[in-house]
Amino acid sequence: MLYWALVFLIIAIIAAIFGFGGVSAAASGIAQVLFWIFLVVFLVSLIMGFVNRRHLR
């Protein structure tokens, strides 16, 4: 998911350079949403890993 966030970020940067404002804004918004989803999933799996490790001892 982080890969796709970076892809859309690069698309947004390239679109901004060439002056495609609408495409740039859309790709930037998608990249931001995917990044936040990735961050939430990462934190949840990190917490679950610590909880499972604690129960296994």
Side-chain angles (χ1 to χ4, degrees), residues 1-56:
M1 195 174 316
L2 186 58
Y3 169 77
W4 286 110
L6 291 174
V7 167
F8 280 108
L9 178 64
I10 291 170
I11 291 171
I13 291 171
I14 291 170
I17 289 172
F18 289 119
F20 299 114
V23 175
S24 174
S28 175
I30 292 171
Q32 288 176 359
V33 169
L34 288 176
F35 175 76
W36 287 112
I37 291 172
F38 166 78
L39 192 62
V40 168
V41 169
F42 172 73
L43 290 175
V44 167
S45 50
L46 189 68
I47 291 169
M48 294 303 288
F50 283 131
V51 169
N52 286 339
R53 187 181 307 168
R54 194 173 287 169
H55 284 294
L56 292 176

